Amino acid sequence: MTSRFPIERIEARILDIPTIRPHKLSFGSISRQSPVIVQLWLANGACGFGEAATIGGPSWNEESPESIQHAINAYLAPALLGQDGACFEAALSRMDSACKGNAFAKSAVEMALIDAVARSLSLPAWQLLGGKRHQSLPLAWTLASGDVARDLEEAQLRLEQKRHRIFKMKIGARSPEQDVAHVSQIARGLAGRATLTVDINQAWDGNTARRYLPQLIDAGVTLIEQPVAKWNLEALKTLSATLGDRASIMADETVCTPQDAMLLARAQACHVFSLKVAKHGGLLRTRQVAAVADAADIGWYGGTMLETSIGSAASAHVFATLGTQHHGCELFGPQLLVDDIVTERMEIRDFELQLPDGPGFGVEVDMAQLNRFDRARTGLTSV
Ligand code: MUC
Ligand code: MG
């Protein structure tokens, strides 16, 4: 069989884009994002873009911008050159043979591949991923300045602008008592006007979570993301069983592969999966994890690694194809960055992200902006 879309060239570069304010999480504070942007050219001249963003170098999980760029240049690109770009699953399997793990790196390459092929066919990427089921999704914003007054100001503005009415608070860096006080103050300030969620990013042990999560729920929190370490399935299970009638427990760092999803589903250890294209290793594998959620009566949430508009639009395309049991999405990454690398961002209207149409991921990359933030030009080093 002749190859319809031979892969000709793949390049990966690291950008450094400052954030509009420090973003504080349980494991540190970031003031810039360093996404890896992949360009993939097919022999027909079409070029697709992909992205993998990490948070705080390798502090969210094992991969860093530098390791992602290296895996792509040294192993993943050589495994794909000359192969048929239209055979997505075969490309994934070649990448798996060349390189164990490295899900973020693989996801950026697969993204660029799907964008390039979709553009060659003049189709939106969602058409190649099963078809669109949602036109828009409720869009959360994360309050993570670390300061109650500033968080409340941010939330008020976003409510007035009709952009966000789901607010996620990043906690776990301070003492649980301080976190409960912080969340309670914000909950009082926004009473009745917003849905409140928290992300603890693995910071608590099981006993701390059992003691303090009920207090957060009393304050008004309805969705609790990754309260305990990623390995702590037993604690997740107990929390889900005991708190489940008052709030939902969402797995994030614990659910990466379809096998992780199966373990969580079998143990009935959470109510929702946070889906993220990078940690699942691509758009197709995000659908596999979502399929486990669907089969196990587990909800899904459209998560982010704070990508630019490239990775966010790609995520929007796959989220657009998923089932109805969802808790909205948090593809607000572009708004957290001082500037973007596309000519026009996805639209936010009436508290919902309008899910884009094609061709490809439906966003046009501004090459001047890409060059402006390119680490090879700015000379910045790793975080
Ligand atoms: C995470 O763990 O969910 C997503 C939003 C945000 O503020 O941080 C990320 C990472
Ligand atoms: Mg999270």
Side-chain angles (χ1 to χ4, degrees), residues 60 168 199 223 225-226 249-256 264 270-277 279-280 286 289 298-305 319 328 330:
W60 192 90
K168 162 162 145 177
D199 187 357
L223 181 65
E225 181 172 344
Q226 199 68 49
I249 301 288
M250 178 155 79
D252 183 6
E253 286 89 330
T254 303
V255 60
C256 294
L264 281 158
C270 67
H271 309 108
V272 185
F273 288 165
S274 173
L275 301 177
K276 293 180 179 175
V277 174
K279 69 177 181 176
H280 302 314
T286 298
V289 174
I298 289 172
W300 65 270
Y301 176 74
T304 180
M305 288 302 290
F319 296 157
E330 58 175 21

PDB file of all heavy atoms in Angstrom, residues 60 168 199 223 225-226 249-256 264 270-277 279-280 286 289 298-305 319 328 330:
ATOM      1  N   TRP A  60       5.487  18.647  38.176  1.00  0.00           N
ATOM      2  CA  TRP A  60       4.123  18.071  38.199  1.00  0.00           C
ATOM      3  C   TRP A  60       4.203  16.550  38.005  1.00  0.00           C
ATOM      4  O   TRP A  60       3.517  15.797  38.657  1.00  0.00           O
ATOM      5  CB  TRP A  60       3.253  18.708  37.103  1.00  0.00           C
ATOM      6  CG  TRP A  60       1.793  18.395  37.232  1.00  0.00           C
ATOM      7  CD1 TRP A  60       0.863  19.107  37.925  1.00  0.00           C
ATOM      8  CD2 TRP A  60       1.102  17.276  36.645  1.00  0.00           C
ATOM      9  NE1 TRP A  60      -0.373  18.497  37.808  1.00  0.00           N
ATOM     10  CE2 TRP A  60      -0.256  17.372  37.030  1.00  0.00           C
ATOM     11  CE3 TRP A  60       1.493  16.207  35.824  1.00  0.00           C
ATOM     12  CZ2 TRP A  60      -1.229  16.457  36.639  1.00  0.00           C
ATOM     13  CZ3 TRP A  60       0.524  15.285  35.438  1.00  0.00           C
ATOM     14  CH2 TRP A  60      -0.815  15.416  35.847  1.00  0.00           C
ATOM     15  N   LYS A 168     -11.584  27.137  40.534  1.00  0.00           N
ATOM     16  CA  LYS A 168     -10.793  26.083  41.185  1.00  0.00           C
ATOM     17  C   LYS A 168      -9.717  26.755  42.016  1.00  0.00           C
ATOM     18  O   LYS A 168      -9.016  27.643  41.528  1.00  0.00           O
ATOM     19  CB  LYS A 168     -10.204  25.201  40.081  1.00  0.00           C
ATOM     20  CG  LYS A 168      -9.036  24.312  40.442  1.00  0.00           C
ATOM     21  CD  LYS A 168      -8.895  23.225  39.384  1.00  0.00           C
ATOM     22  CE  LYS A 168      -7.462  22.838  39.119  1.00  0.00           C
ATOM     23  NZ  LYS A 168      -7.326  21.742  38.167  1.00  0.00           N
ATOM     24  N   ASP A 199      -7.994  21.906  44.064  1.00  0.00           N
ATOM     25  CA  ASP A 199      -7.005  20.933  43.594  1.00  0.00           C
ATOM     26  C   ASP A 199      -5.862  20.939  44.598  1.00  0.00           C
ATOM     27  O   ASP A 199      -5.224  21.969  44.814  1.00  0.00           O
ATOM     28  CB  ASP A 199      -6.498  21.319  42.200  1.00  0.00           C
ATOM     29  CG  ASP A 199      -5.601  20.241  41.599  1.00  0.00           C
ATOM     30  OD1 ASP A 199      -5.332  19.240  42.287  1.00  0.00           O
ATOM     31  OD2 ASP A 199      -5.174  20.402  40.435  1.00  0.00           O
ATOM     32  N   LEU A 223     -16.266  19.808  44.209  1.00  0.00           N
ATOM     33  CA  LEU A 223     -15.419  18.881  43.444  1.00  0.00           C
ATOM     34  C   LEU A 223     -14.003  18.972  44.000  1.00  0.00           C
ATOM     35  O   LEU A 223     -13.442  20.072  44.098  1.00  0.00           O
ATOM     36  CB  LEU A 223     -15.448  19.275  41.960  1.00  0.00           C
ATOM     37  CG  LEU A 223     -14.650  18.428  40.972  1.00  0.00           C
ATOM     38  CD1 LEU A 223     -15.203  17.004  40.887  1.00  0.00           C
ATOM     39  CD2 LEU A 223     -14.704  19.055  39.565  1.00  0.00           C
ATOM     40  N   GLU A 225     -10.088  17.673  43.734  1.00  0.00           N
ATOM     41  CA  GLU A 225      -9.158  17.049  42.796  1.00  0.00           C
ATOM     42  C   GLU A 225      -7.879  16.594  43.505  1.00  0.00           C
ATOM     43  O   GLU A 225      -7.261  17.358  44.238  1.00  0.00           O
ATOM     44  CB  GLU A 225      -8.831  18.093  41.709  1.00  0.00           C
ATOM     45  CG  GLU A 225      -7.895  17.621  40.624  1.00  0.00           C
ATOM     46  CD  GLU A 225      -7.792  18.645  39.488  1.00  0.00           C
ATOM     47  OE1 GLU A 225      -8.658  19.552  39.389  1.00  0.00           O
ATOM     48  OE2 GLU A 225      -6.842  18.551  38.715  1.00  0.00           O
ATOM     49  N   GLN A 226      -7.522  15.366  43.245  1.00  0.00           N
ATOM     50  CA  GLN A 226      -6.267  14.734  43.691  1.00  0.00           C
ATOM     51  C   GLN A 226      -5.816  15.190  45.081  1.00  0.00           C
ATOM     52  O   GLN A 226      -4.765  15.813  45.235  1.00  0.00           O
ATOM     53  CB  GLN A 226      -5.174  15.017  42.660  1.00  0.00           C
ATOM     54  CG  GLN A 226      -3.987  14.047  42.765  1.00  0.00           C
ATOM     55  CD  GLN A 226      -4.315  12.613  42.379  1.00  0.00           C
ATOM     56  OE1 GLN A 226      -4.910  12.360  41.340  1.00  0.00           O
ATOM     57  NE2 GLN A 226      -3.947  11.650  43.218  1.00  0.00           N
ATOM     58  N   ILE A 249     -15.092  13.271  44.133  1.00  0.00           N
ATOM     59  CA  ILE A 249     -13.630  13.149  44.182  1.00  0.00           C
ATOM     60  C   ILE A 249     -13.133  12.939  42.746  1.00  0.00           C
ATOM     61  O   ILE A 249     -13.645  12.064  42.025  1.00  0.00           O
ATOM     62  CB  ILE A 249     -13.203  11.938  45.046  1.00  0.00           C
ATOM     63  CG1 ILE A 249     -13.732  12.057  46.484  1.00  0.00           C
ATOM     64  CG2 ILE A 249     -11.671  11.754  45.022  1.00  0.00           C
ATOM     65  CD1 ILE A 249     -13.070  13.108  47.346  1.00  0.00           C
ATOM     66  N   MET A 250     -12.161  13.770  42.350  1.00  0.00           N
ATOM     67  CA  MET A 250     -11.636  13.677  40.985  1.00  0.00           C
ATOM     68  C   MET A 250     -10.173  13.251  41.010  1.00  0.00           C
ATOM     69  O   MET A 250      -9.361  13.826  41.740  1.00  0.00           O
ATOM     70  CB  MET A 250     -11.768  15.032  40.290  1.00  0.00           C
ATOM     71  CG  MET A 250     -11.213  15.060  38.875  1.00  0.00           C
ATOM     72  SD  MET A 250     -11.975  16.337  37.873  1.00  0.00           S
ATOM     73  CE  MET A 250     -11.096  17.786  38.431  1.00  0.00           C
ATOM     74  N   ALA A 251      -9.852  12.257  40.197  1.00  0.00           N
ATOM     75  CA  ALA A 251      -8.450  11.826  40.056  1.00  0.00           C
ATOM     76  C   ALA A 251      -7.796  12.641  38.953  1.00  0.00           C
ATOM     77  O   ALA A 251      -8.404  12.867  37.904  1.00  0.00           O
ATOM     78  CB  ALA A 251      -8.399  10.347  39.707  1.00  0.00           C
ATOM     79  N   ASP A 252      -6.578  13.085  39.203  1.00  0.00           N
ATOM     80  CA  ASP A 252      -5.804  13.752  38.141  1.00  0.00           C
ATOM     81  C   ASP A 252      -4.482  13.000  37.958  1.00  0.00           C
ATOM     82  O   ASP A 252      -4.372  12.142  37.080  1.00  0.00           O
ATOM     83  CB  ASP A 252      -5.602  15.240  38.483  1.00  0.00           C
ATOM     84  CG  ASP A 252      -4.875  15.991  37.376  1.00  0.00           C
ATOM     85  OD1 ASP A 252      -4.631  15.409  36.313  1.00  0.00           O
ATOM     86  OD2 ASP A 252      -4.526  17.181  37.562  1.00  0.00           O
ATOM     87  N   GLU A 253      -3.500  13.259  38.826  1.00  0.00           N
ATOM     88  CA  GLU A 253      -2.201  12.607  38.652  1.00  0.00           C
ATOM     89  C   GLU A 253      -2.319  11.075  38.676  1.00  0.00           C
ATOM     90  O   GLU A 253      -1.494  10.371  38.071  1.00  0.00           O
ATOM     91  CB  GLU A 253      -1.215  13.055  39.750  1.00  0.00           C
ATOM     92  CG  GLU A 253      -0.687  14.487  39.578  1.00  0.00           C
ATOM     93  CD  GLU A 253      -1.549  15.546  40.255  1.00  0.00           C
ATOM     94  OE1 GLU A 253      -2.781  15.344  40.365  1.00  0.00           O
ATOM     95  OE2 GLU A 253      -1.012  16.591  40.664  1.00  0.00           O
ATOM     96  N   THR A 254      -3.330  10.534  39.371  1.00  0.00           N
ATOM     97  CA  THR A 254      -3.471   9.066  39.446  1.00  0.00           C
ATOM     98  C   THR A 254      -3.911   8.449  38.122  1.00  0.00           C
ATOM     99  O   THR A 254      -3.652   7.282  37.868  1.00  0.00           O
ATOM    100  CB  THR A 254      -4.490   8.678  40.554  1.00  0.00           C
ATOM    101  OG1 THR A 254      -4.048   9.226  41.783  1.00  0.00           O
ATOM    102  CG2 THR A 254      -4.612   7.172  40.721  1.00  0.00           C
ATOM    103  N   VAL A 255      -4.590   9.242  37.269  1.00  0.00           N
ATOM    104  CA  VAL A 255      -5.145   8.620  36.064  1.00  0.00           C
ATOM    105  C   VAL A 255      -4.419   9.124  34.820  1.00  0.00           C
ATOM    106  O   VAL A 255      -4.678  10.213  34.327  1.00  0.00           O
ATOM    107  CB  VAL A 255      -6.693   8.799  35.968  1.00  0.00           C
ATOM    108  CG1 VAL A 255      -7.121  10.240  35.919  1.00  0.00           C
ATOM    109  CG2 VAL A 255      -7.263   8.031  34.791  1.00  0.00           C
ATOM    110  N   CYS A 256      -3.473   8.318  34.359  1.00  0.00           N
ATOM    111  CA  CYS A 256      -2.721   8.659  33.142  1.00  0.00           C
ATOM    112  C   CYS A 256      -3.045   7.663  32.023  1.00  0.00           C
ATOM    113  O   CYS A 256      -3.555   8.043  30.980  1.00  0.00           O
ATOM    114  CB  CYS A 256      -1.229   8.684  33.442  1.00  0.00           C
ATOM    115  SG  CYS A 256      -0.785  10.017  34.588  1.00  0.00           S
ATOM    116  N   LEU A 264      -8.709   2.452  38.874  1.00  0.00           N
ATOM    117  CA  LEU A 264      -9.590   3.374  39.610  1.00  0.00           C
ATOM    118  C   LEU A 264     -11.047   2.937  39.495  1.00  0.00           C
ATOM    119  O   LEU A 264     -11.811   2.979  40.468  1.00  0.00           O
ATOM    120  CB  LEU A 264      -9.427   4.800  39.068  1.00  0.00           C
ATOM    121  CG  LEU A 264      -8.189   5.554  39.554  1.00  0.00           C
ATOM    122  CD1 LEU A 264      -7.823   6.675  38.603  1.00  0.00           C
ATOM    123  CD2 LEU A 264      -8.431   6.105  40.964  1.00  0.00           C
ATOM    124  N   CYS A 270     -12.911   6.906  42.598  1.00  0.00           N
ATOM    125  CA  CYS A 270     -13.187   8.330  42.317  1.00  0.00           C
ATOM    126  C   CYS A 270     -14.484   8.435  41.521  1.00  0.00           C
ATOM    127  O   CYS A 270     -14.986   7.445  40.987  1.00  0.00           O
ATOM    128  CB  CYS A 270     -12.030   8.969  41.551  1.00  0.00           C
ATOM    129  SG  CYS A 270     -11.813   8.324  39.904  1.00  0.00           S
ATOM    130  N   HIS A 271     -15.002   9.663  41.456  1.00  0.00           N
ATOM    131  CA  HIS A 271     -16.251   9.905  40.718  1.00  0.00           C
ATOM    132  C   HIS A 271     -16.001  10.543  39.363  1.00  0.00           C
ATOM    133  O   HIS A 271     -16.869  10.530  38.495  1.00  0.00           O
ATOM    134  CB  HIS A 271     -17.161  10.834  41.524  1.00  0.00           C
ATOM    135  CG  HIS A 271     -17.365  10.394  42.937  1.00  0.00           C
ATOM    136  ND1 HIS A 271     -16.802  11.037  44.002  1.00  0.00           N
ATOM    137  CD2 HIS A 271     -18.049   9.335  43.437  1.00  0.00           C
ATOM    138  CE1 HIS A 271     -17.137  10.420  45.122  1.00  0.00           C
ATOM    139  NE2 HIS A 271     -17.875   9.372  44.813  1.00  0.00           N
ATOM    140  N   VAL A 272     -14.825  11.183  39.221  1.00  0.00           N
ATOM    141  CA  VAL A 272     -14.529  11.931  37.989  1.00  0.00           C
ATOM    142  C   VAL A 272     -13.057  11.719  37.623  1.00  0.00           C
ATOM    143  O   VAL A 272     -12.202  11.630  38.507  1.00  0.00           O
ATOM    144  CB  VAL A 272     -14.779  13.462  38.208  1.00  0.00           C
ATOM    145  CG1 VAL A 272     -14.600  14.235  36.903  1.00  0.00           C
ATOM    146  CG2 VAL A 272     -16.171  13.733  38.784  1.00  0.00           C
ATOM    147  N   PHE A 273     -12.789  11.667  36.309  1.00  0.00           N
ATOM    148  CA  PHE A 273     -11.402  11.686  35.821  1.00  0.00           C
ATOM    149  C   PHE A 273     -11.120  13.069  35.244  1.00  0.00           C
ATOM    150  O   PHE A 273     -11.914  13.563  34.433  1.00  0.00           O
ATOM    151  CB  PHE A 273     -11.191  10.709  34.647  1.00  0.00           C
ATOM    152  CG  PHE A 273     -11.207   9.248  34.980  1.00  0.00           C
ATOM    153  CD1 PHE A 273     -11.340   8.313  33.944  1.00  0.00           C
ATOM    154  CD2 PHE A 273     -11.072   8.781  36.284  1.00  0.00           C
ATOM    155  CE1 PHE A 273     -11.346   6.951  34.211  1.00  0.00           C
ATOM    156  CE2 PHE A 273     -11.077   7.408  36.555  1.00  0.00           C
ATOM    157  CZ  PHE A 273     -11.218   6.496  35.518  1.00  0.00           C
ATOM    158  N   SER A 274      -9.987  13.662  35.623  1.00  0.00           N
ATOM    159  CA  SER A 274      -9.525  14.845  34.906  1.00  0.00           C
ATOM    160  C   SER A 274      -8.745  14.332  33.700  1.00  0.00           C
ATOM    161  O   SER A 274      -7.736  13.643  33.847  1.00  0.00           O
ATOM    162  CB  SER A 274      -8.616  15.696  35.788  1.00  0.00           C
ATOM    163  OG  SER A 274      -8.074  16.738  35.000  1.00  0.00           O
ATOM    164  N   LEU A 275      -9.246  14.644  32.517  1.00  0.00           N
ATOM    165  CA  LEU A 275      -8.584  14.180  31.293  1.00  0.00           C
ATOM    166  C   LEU A 275      -7.608  15.242  30.814  1.00  0.00           C
ATOM    167  O   LEU A 275      -7.949  16.423  30.768  1.00  0.00           O
ATOM    168  CB  LEU A 275      -9.626  13.928  30.188  1.00  0.00           C
ATOM    169  CG  LEU A 275     -10.722  12.909  30.499  1.00  0.00           C
ATOM    170  CD1 LEU A 275     -11.709  12.830  29.330  1.00  0.00           C
ATOM    171  CD2 LEU A 275     -10.120  11.523  30.755  1.00  0.00           C
ATOM    172  N   LYS A 276      -6.394  14.817  30.483  1.00  0.00           N
ATOM    173  CA  LYS A 276      -5.394  15.742  29.941  1.00  0.00           C
ATOM    174  C   LYS A 276      -4.661  15.027  28.826  1.00  0.00           C
ATOM    175  O   LYS A 276      -4.079  13.952  29.051  1.00  0.00           O
ATOM    176  CB  LYS A 276      -4.396  16.160  31.023  1.00  0.00           C
ATOM    177  CG  LYS A 276      -5.010  17.002  32.136  1.00  0.00           C
ATOM    178  CD  LYS A 276      -3.981  17.385  33.172  1.00  0.00           C
ATOM    179  CE  LYS A 276      -4.617  18.233  34.248  1.00  0.00           C
ATOM    180  NZ  LYS A 276      -3.689  18.526  35.344  1.00  0.00           N
ATOM    181  N   VAL A 277      -4.654  15.646  27.663  1.00  0.00           N
ATOM    182  CA  VAL A 277      -4.085  14.997  26.483  1.00  0.00           C
ATOM    183  C   VAL A 277      -2.621  14.614  26.719  1.00  0.00           C
ATOM    184  O   VAL A 277      -2.182  13.529  26.330  1.00  0.00           O
ATOM    185  CB  VAL A 277      -4.228  15.930  25.258  1.00  0.00           C
ATOM    186  CG1 VAL A 277      -3.527  15.354  24.047  1.00  0.00           C
ATOM    187  CG2 VAL A 277      -5.715  16.173  24.960  1.00  0.00           C
ATOM    188  N   LYS A 279      -0.804  13.899  29.564  1.00  0.00           N
ATOM    189  CA  LYS A 279      -0.488  12.777  30.466  1.00  0.00           C
ATOM    190  C   LYS A 279      -1.007  11.438  29.915  1.00  0.00           C
ATOM    191  O   LYS A 279      -0.487  10.380  30.263  1.00  0.00           O
ATOM    192  CB  LYS A 279      -1.029  13.039  31.876  1.00  0.00           C
ATOM    193  CG  LYS A 279      -2.532  13.015  31.971  1.00  0.00           C
ATOM    194  CD  LYS A 279      -3.068  13.203  33.390  1.00  0.00           C
ATOM    195  CE  LYS A 279      -4.584  13.149  33.389  1.00  0.00           C
ATOM    196  NZ  LYS A 279      -5.194  13.235  34.703  1.00  0.00           N
ATOM    197  N   HIS A 280      -2.045  11.495  29.050  1.00  0.00           N
ATOM    198  CA  HIS A 280      -2.556  10.239  28.470  1.00  0.00           C
ATOM    199  C   HIS A 280      -1.727   9.807  27.254  1.00  0.00           C
ATOM    200  O   HIS A 280      -1.902   8.716  26.746  1.00  0.00           O
ATOM    201  CB  HIS A 280      -4.017  10.385  28.046  1.00  0.00           C
ATOM    202  CG  HIS A 280      -4.934  10.793  29.160  1.00  0.00           C
ATOM    203  ND1 HIS A 280      -4.894  10.203  30.396  1.00  0.00           N
ATOM    204  CD2 HIS A 280      -5.906  11.740  29.228  1.00  0.00           C
ATOM    205  CE1 HIS A 280      -5.800  10.776  31.175  1.00  0.00           C
ATOM    206  NE2 HIS A 280      -6.415  11.704  30.494  1.00  0.00           N
ATOM    207  N   THR A 286      -6.504   9.735  24.976  1.00  0.00           N
ATOM    208  CA  THR A 286      -7.450  10.438  25.842  1.00  0.00           C
ATOM    209  C   THR A 286      -8.838   9.828  25.644  1.00  0.00           C
ATOM    210  O   THR A 286      -9.594   9.619  26.603  1.00  0.00           O
ATOM    211  CB  THR A 286      -7.480  11.947  25.482  1.00  0.00           C
ATOM    212  OG1 THR A 286      -6.176  12.474  25.708  1.00  0.00           O
ATOM    213  CG2 THR A 286      -8.487  12.703  26.324  1.00  0.00           C
ATOM    214  N   VAL A 289      -9.069   6.563  27.647  1.00  0.00           N
ATOM    215  CA  VAL A 289      -9.318   6.769  29.081  1.00  0.00           C
ATOM    216  C   VAL A 289     -10.771   7.206  29.280  1.00  0.00           C
ATOM    217  O   VAL A 289     -11.453   6.751  30.210  1.00  0.00           O
ATOM    218  CB  VAL A 289      -8.316   7.802  29.662  1.00  0.00           C
ATOM    219  CG1 VAL A 289      -8.652   8.134  31.106  1.00  0.00           C
ATOM    220  CG2 VAL A 289      -6.887   7.254  29.573  1.00  0.00           C
ATOM    221  N   ILE A 298     -18.205   6.843  35.399  1.00  0.00           N
ATOM    222  CA  ILE A 298     -17.350   7.883  36.001  1.00  0.00           C
ATOM    223  C   ILE A 298     -17.442   9.109  35.092  1.00  0.00           C
ATOM    224  O   ILE A 298     -17.426   8.980  33.857  1.00  0.00           O
ATOM    225  CB  ILE A 298     -15.885   7.380  36.102  1.00  0.00           C
ATOM    226  CG1 ILE A 298     -15.792   6.302  37.193  1.00  0.00           C
ATOM    227  CG2 ILE A 298     -14.899   8.517  36.385  1.00  0.00           C
ATOM    228  CD1 ILE A 298     -14.451   5.587  37.254  1.00  0.00           C
ATOM    229  N   GLY A 299     -17.552  10.287  35.683  1.00  0.00           N
ATOM    230  CA  GLY A 299     -17.636  11.507  34.884  1.00  0.00           C
ATOM    231  C   GLY A 299     -16.271  11.935  34.369  1.00  0.00           C
ATOM    232  O   GLY A 299     -15.240  11.402  34.785  1.00  0.00           O
ATOM    233  N   TRP A 300     -16.252  12.914  33.464  1.00  0.00           N
ATOM    234  CA  TRP A 300     -14.963  13.434  32.978  1.00  0.00           C
ATOM    235  C   TRP A 300     -14.951  14.956  33.086  1.00  0.00           C
ATOM    236  O   TRP A 300     -15.991  15.612  33.142  1.00  0.00           O
ATOM    237  CB  TRP A 300     -14.662  12.979  31.550  1.00  0.00           C
ATOM    238  CG  TRP A 300     -15.608  13.489  30.479  1.00  0.00           C
ATOM    239  CD1 TRP A 300     -16.768  12.879  30.056  1.00  0.00           C
ATOM    240  CD2 TRP A 300     -15.483  14.692  29.698  1.00  0.00           C
ATOM    241  NE1 TRP A 300     -17.363  13.626  29.076  1.00  0.00           N
ATOM    242  CE2 TRP A 300     -16.597  14.748  28.824  1.00  0.00           C
ATOM    243  CE3 TRP A 300     -14.541  15.709  29.636  1.00  0.00           C
ATOM    244  CZ2 TRP A 300     -16.804  15.789  27.914  1.00  0.00           C
ATOM    245  CZ3 TRP A 300     -14.746  16.744  28.731  1.00  0.00           C
ATOM    246  CH2 TRP A 300     -15.860  16.779  27.880  1.00  0.00           C
ATOM    247  N   TYR A 301     -13.717  15.477  33.135  1.00  0.00           N
ATOM    248  CA  TYR A 301     -13.472  16.902  33.251  1.00  0.00           C
ATOM    249  C   TYR A 301     -12.352  17.228  32.282  1.00  0.00           C
ATOM    250  O   TYR A 301     -11.371  16.483  32.193  1.00  0.00           O
ATOM    251  CB  TYR A 301     -13.053  17.189  34.693  1.00  0.00           C
ATOM    252  CG  TYR A 301     -12.665  18.612  35.018  1.00  0.00           C
ATOM    253  CD1 TYR A 301     -13.624  19.614  35.128  1.00  0.00           C
ATOM    254  CD2 TYR A 301     -11.336  18.954  35.265  1.00  0.00           C
ATOM    255  CE1 TYR A 301     -13.267  20.912  35.464  1.00  0.00           C
ATOM    256  CE2 TYR A 301     -10.971  20.251  35.610  1.00  0.00           C
ATOM    257  CZ  TYR A 301     -11.949  21.223  35.703  1.00  0.00           C
ATOM    258  OH  TYR A 301     -11.593  22.504  36.048  1.00  0.00           O
ATOM    259  N   GLY A 302     -12.502  18.291  31.521  1.00  0.00           N
ATOM    260  CA  GLY A 302     -11.502  18.639  30.509  1.00  0.00           C
ATOM    261  C   GLY A 302     -10.343  19.409  31.119  1.00  0.00           C
ATOM    262  O   GLY A 302     -10.379  20.632  31.240  1.00  0.00           O
ATOM    263  N   GLY A 303      -9.296  18.695  31.508  1.00  0.00           N
ATOM    264  CA  GLY A 303      -8.190  19.296  32.247  1.00  0.00           C
ATOM    265  C   GLY A 303      -7.187  20.022  31.352  1.00  0.00           C
ATOM    266  O   GLY A 303      -7.229  19.934  30.119  1.00  0.00           O
ATOM    267  N   THR A 304      -6.277  20.745  32.017  1.00  0.00           N
ATOM    268  CA  THR A 304      -5.242  21.489  31.291  1.00  0.00           C
ATOM    269  C   THR A 304      -3.886  21.330  31.968  1.00  0.00           C
ATOM    270  O   THR A 304      -3.824  21.083  33.176  1.00  0.00           O
ATOM    271  CB  THR A 304      -5.586  22.995  31.262  1.00  0.00           C
ATOM    272  OG1 THR A 304      -4.564  23.690  30.551  1.00  0.00           O
ATOM    273  CG2 THR A 304      -5.666  23.623  32.651  1.00  0.00           C
ATOM    274  N   MET A 305      -2.841  21.474  31.192  1.00  0.00           N
ATOM    275  CA  MET A 305      -1.497  21.655  31.750  1.00  0.00           C
ATOM    276  C   MET A 305      -1.058  23.082  31.449  1.00  0.00           C
ATOM    277  O   MET A 305       0.126  23.355  31.363  1.00  0.00           O
ATOM    278  CB  MET A 305      -0.522  20.634  31.152  1.00  0.00           C
ATOM    279  CG  MET A 305      -0.718  19.205  31.644  1.00  0.00           C
ATOM    280  SD  MET A 305      -0.583  19.038  33.445  1.00  0.00           S
ATOM    281  CE  MET A 305       1.170  19.322  33.676  1.00  0.00           C
ATOM    282  N   PHE A 319     -12.175  16.870  23.480  1.00  0.00           N
ATOM    283  CA  PHE A 319     -13.254  16.981  24.478  1.00  0.00           C
ATOM    284  C   PHE A 319     -14.612  17.132  23.772  1.00  0.00           C
ATOM    285  O   PHE A 319     -15.633  16.652  24.273  1.00  0.00           O
ATOM    286  CB  PHE A 319     -13.019  18.162  25.426  1.00  0.00           C
ATOM    287  CG  PHE A 319     -11.781  18.047  26.284  1.00  0.00           C
ATOM    288  CD1 PHE A 319     -11.167  19.182  26.822  1.00  0.00           C
ATOM    289  CD2 PHE A 319     -11.215  16.808  26.566  1.00  0.00           C
ATOM    290  CE1 PHE A 319     -10.024  19.081  27.616  1.00  0.00           C
ATOM    291  CE2 PHE A 319     -10.063  16.702  27.352  1.00  0.00           C
ATOM    292  CZ  PHE A 319      -9.476  17.839  27.870  1.00  0.00           C
ATOM    293  N   GLY A 328     -17.525  20.072  32.793  1.00  0.00           N
ATOM    294  CA  GLY A 328     -16.942  21.232  32.138  1.00  0.00           C
ATOM    295  C   GLY A 328     -15.461  21.047  31.895  1.00  0.00           C
ATOM    296  O   GLY A 328     -14.939  19.926  31.953  1.00  0.00           O
ATOM    297  N   GLU A 330     -11.307  23.223  31.827  1.00  0.00           N
ATOM    298  CA  GLU A 330     -10.492  24.321  32.374  1.00  0.00           C
ATOM    299  C   GLU A 330      -9.417  24.728  31.364  1.00  0.00           C
ATOM    300  O   GLU A 330      -8.276  24.969  31.748  1.00  0.00           O
ATOM    301  CB  GLU A 330      -9.879  23.911  33.719  1.00  0.00           C
ATOM    302  CG  GLU A 330      -9.020  22.667  33.627  1.00  0.00           C
ATOM    303  CD  GLU A 330      -8.295  22.302  34.916  1.00  0.00           C
ATOM    304  OE1 GLU A 330      -8.716  22.729  35.994  1.00  0.00           O
ATOM    305  OE2 GLU A 330      -7.297  21.568  34.809  1.00  0.00           O
TER     306      GLU A 330
END
